[in-house]
Amino acid sequence: MSLTRGLASRLPSALPLVAKAPVVPVVVIERLEDAVPLARALVEGGLPLIEVTLRTAVALEAVRHIAAEVEGAIVGAGTVVERAQIEACLEAGATFLVSPGTTPSLAEAFAETPIPVMAGCATASEAMRLAELGFEVLKFFPAEASGGVAFLKSIAGPLPHLRFCPTGGIGPANAPDYLALPSVVAVGGSWVVPADAIRAGDFGKVRDLAKAAAGLKRAARFG
């Protein structure tokens, strides 16, 4: 059986998860003690889907604590770039995975993963290949540097079936432009989890930013 035919029938859909809110917070957790109150603030603000990036030493433990202690949180792991990370993410309790890009070997590893994956792409060819493999929602990264809204508009005509979660360079000023596109299920962003607010323990600010982001409108309904 070819990799293409094998993948398409096995991948859990990411669409029901990503469709829960218009913004997926992209979180960098430096201190483990911040993980639970940060996640609670995001959930209270209306953003239950939380991507904890594997960029710090405490990231996996943060996923574990959020999964075990924060009711309503749907916590996943981002910046997954190699097969060895997948099992650790699953063991920590991640409910979805996100990659910045997707090599053939990583796509094959994702095919064996029992949870949804947002595989990363930056070009039309990459997006077409991932859709062919059965990935239902693609992470378009780095969005602004890769053509942004104009790029997504330009491929919507020939590739209307593709669905994206653009991430990279997105904030409150341009998020509505992305969400106005029928192909965009949600956007990923770190503006709702500013580092200075986290360092200061100002989770009320995070909750307020999340509430504003949760109120952003999407052009299309998904799920």
Side-chain angles (χ1 to χ4, degrees):
M1 178 181 292
S2 72
L3 176 60
T4 300
R5 291 197 301 271
L7 271 171
S9 62
R10 288 185 285 170
L11 288 170
S13 174
L15 187 58
L17 287 183
V18 187
K20 287 182 178 294
V23 177
V24 179
V26 179
V27 179
V28 178
I29 296 178
E30 302 284 354
R31 302 178 304 195
L32 186 58
E33 60 265 31
D34 294 329
V36 167
L38 177 63
R40 284 182 177 147
L42 290 169
V43 172
E44 289 169 4
L47 299 181
L49 202 69
I50 303 168
E51 177 189 339
V52 177
T53 60
L54 301 184
R55 302 179 191 175
T56 68
V58 302
L60 281 173
E61 200 60 25
V63 169
R64 190 186 314 278
H65 279 260
I66 293 170
E69 301 178 38
V70 183
E71 184 176 356
I74 305 168
V75 62
T79 323
V80 177
V81 297
E82 57 187 24
R83 180 185 290 267
Q85 294 173 310
I86 295 175
E87 187 59 38
C89 293
L90 293 172
E91 194 276 332
T95 54
F96 66 96
L97 302 177
V98 185
S99 68
T102 315
T103 63
S105 61
L106 188 59
E108 188 169 2
F110 284 151
E112 302 166 3
T113 304
I115 60 176
V117 175
M118 277 197 290
C121 66
T123 69
S125 294
E126 291 170 358
M128 290 168 62
R129 176 60 173 161
L130 291 171
E132 183 181 63
L133 293 175
F135 292 96
E136 195 167 8
V137 181
L138 309 178
K139 174 175 178 172
F140 175 45
F141 177 84
E144 282 291 281
S146 299
V149 170
F151 172 83
L152 293 175
K153 283 182 177 179
S154 70
I155 66 170
L159 304 169
H161 60 291
L162 297 182
R163 297 291 177 263
F164 297 96
C165 178
T167 306
I170 299 177
N174 60 356
D177 297 331
Y178 283 93
L179 293 169
L181 302 178
S183 63
V184 171
V185 184
V187 298
S190 58
W191 84 88
V192 294
V193 284
D196 57 347
I198 297 173
R199 283 193 297 268
D202 188 357
F203 300 111
K205 179 177 181 179
V206 172
R207 184 180 60 249
D208 292 343
L209 289 169
K211 187 176 296 185
L216 293 173
K217 304 299 182 185
R218 287 179 277 201
R221 296 184 65 86
F222 301 91

